[in-house]
Every structure is written in structure tokens, then in C-alpha cells.
């Protein structure tokens, strides 16, 4: 019995298309993006149904500017947003 597996798919030009990891029946994957520079969404599934979706937002300099997680049962939402000061430090 396989308790852990990882799948990674690349495009013909070497870009990450999708990846997933399965642990004890729970799958975590990031979906396809037309212009992927950073992984901005992770979807955790159990038995094919989404359990937790985490979404990240990035600014034009690819700095993390926000993150949110939404759970399906119970409906729990956690989120945070970030700004940057003149010294380029997250605030």
C-alpha cells in the first residue's frame, strides 16, 4: 500500500503544469496557470472533494501580499494581508 506519492507534470518548454502529493488518502495539488511564476493556489482534497483551499496574492515584485485559507467543513476562513514599508520590509 502506497501511503505517500508525489506527481509533478512539466510542459514541453519546462514549466510546471501541475503537481500533487498524496498522503494517507489526502491529495494536495496546485492547478494549472497560464503564466505560472509562483504557486498561488493549493487545493487539499479527500476522496476527490476539496477540504482546504489556500490562495496567495503577490505584488508586481513577486512579494507575498496576502494569503487566505478556506475550509469546507466547517466553513472556516483565515486570511492575512501584508504591506511593505520604505525599507522593503513586510508590515
Amino acid at each position: 500500500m502506497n501511503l505517500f506519492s508525489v506527481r509533478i507534470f512539466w510542459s514541453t518548454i519546462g514549466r510546471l503544469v501541475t503537481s500533487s502529493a498524496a498522503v494517507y488518502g489526502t491529495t494536495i495539488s496546485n492547478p494549472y496557470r497560464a503564466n505560472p511564476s509562483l504557486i498561488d493556489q493549493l487545493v487539499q482534497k479527500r476522496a476527490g472533494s476539496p477540504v482546504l483551499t489556500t490562495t496567495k496574492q503577490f505584488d508586481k515584485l513577486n512579494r507575498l501580499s496576502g494569503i487566505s485559507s478556506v475550509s469546507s467543513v466547517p466553513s472556516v476562513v483565515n486570511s492575512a494581508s501584508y504591506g511593505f514599508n520604505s525599507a522593503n520590509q513586510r508590515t
Side-chain angles (χ1 to χ4, degrees):
M1 178 184 206
N2 241 349
L3 299 179
F4 182 77
S5 66
V6 175
R7 292 181 177 184
I8 301 173
F9 298 96
W10 302 91
S11 71
T12 56
I13 59 171
R15 288 189 177 173
L16 177 66
V17 174
T18 187
S19 64
S20 66
V23 181
Y24 296 108
T26 299
T27 301
I28 301 171
S29 63
N30 64 298
Y32 171 79
R33 295 287 183 249
N35 188 12
S37 58
L38 299 168
I39 295 176
D40 60 355
Q41 186 179 58
L42 293 173
V43 180
Q44 181 178 348
K45 295 180 179 181
R46 182 172 291 275
S49 298
V51 177
L52 181 69
T53 301
T54 301
T55 305
K56 299 175 185 178
Q57 296 85 36
F58 299 92
D59 65 11
K60 292 180 181 179
L61 298 176
N62 289 334
R63 301 176 298 189
L64 181 66
S65 60
I67 187 170
S68 65
S69 295
V70 179
S71 175
S72 60
V73 179
S75 294
V76 175
V77 177
N78 294 319
S79 66
S81 59
Y82 308 101
F84 296 89
N85 62 20
S86 59
N88 204 28
Q89 298 167 321
R90 188 178 300 159
T91 59

